[in-house]
Amino acid sequence: QVHLVESGGGSVQTGGSLRLDCARSRYARGTNCVAWFRQPPGKEREGIAVLHTGVSNTRYADSVKGRFTISQDSAKNTVYLQMNSLKPEDTAMYYCAAASLWAGNCLRASEANFNYWGQGTHVTVSS
């Protein structure tokens, strides 16, 4: 069963924008904490943004704060990651992940707390 499907990756130049979509299937409909992670080439996966869909609380990694925005369309069961002012260091495979967590725990969640993962979508930012 496919629970999460990411889309929207691609190649852009420095300063450009992309929007990533994370569509939750009916199998993941009960989840209320959705996060975006990324894994740059040769590096470990890191969490960059998280959203509690019930109260719309968000948290961002310092590396993307002010440039990336996580949001949701509840009617479409989809969470978005709007990425602006992209830099070459944003080049990575991007994954969305979901879980059922209380709001406070959601914002502090680590990779191990998420039990649903998408297949990933690649983002390349050229200088």
Side-chain angles (χ1 to χ4, degrees):
Q1 299 145 342
V2 176
H3 302 290
L4 304 173
V5 178
E6 301 104 332
S7 60
S11 297
V12 294
Q13 292 187 325
T14 297
S17 297
L18 283 173
R19 191 189 79 179
L20 305 183
D21 295 3
C22 175
R24 291 180 289 171
S25 75
R26 61 187 179 93
Y27 299 107
R29 194 160 289 172
T31 57
N32 58 7
C33 180
V34 181
W36 285 97
F37 290 79
R38 68 183 181 186
Q39 187 167 19
K43 297 185 179 180
E44 293 187 353
R45 190 155 58 185
E46 61 172 343
I48 56 172
V50 63
L51 166 74
H52 189 276
T53 61
V55 297
S56 297
N57 286 0
T58 60
R59 185 173 181 178
Y60 298 90
D62 289 343
S63 58
V64 306
K65 200 173 294 182
R67 300 188 298 123
F68 291 11
T69 302
I70 188 170
S71 62
Q72 64 173 321
D73 184 331
S74 300
K76 296 182 178 179
N77 254 343
T78 299
V79 172
Y80 306 103
L81 185 69
Q82 178 66 43
M83 305 185 296
N84 299 327
S85 303
L86 283 162
K87 306 174 182 179
E89 50 264 43
D90 294 318
T91 295
M93 183 70 80
Y94 284 72
Y95 301 89
C96 69
S100 297
L101 297 169
W102 294 105
N105 292 339
C106 173
L107 299 188
R108 293 189 296 267
S110 64
E111 188 172 335
N113 296 121
F114 293 92
N115 49 348
Y116 296 107
W117 289 84
Q119 80 288 353
T121 185
H122 201 264
V123 171
T124 300
V125 184
S126 57
S127 57

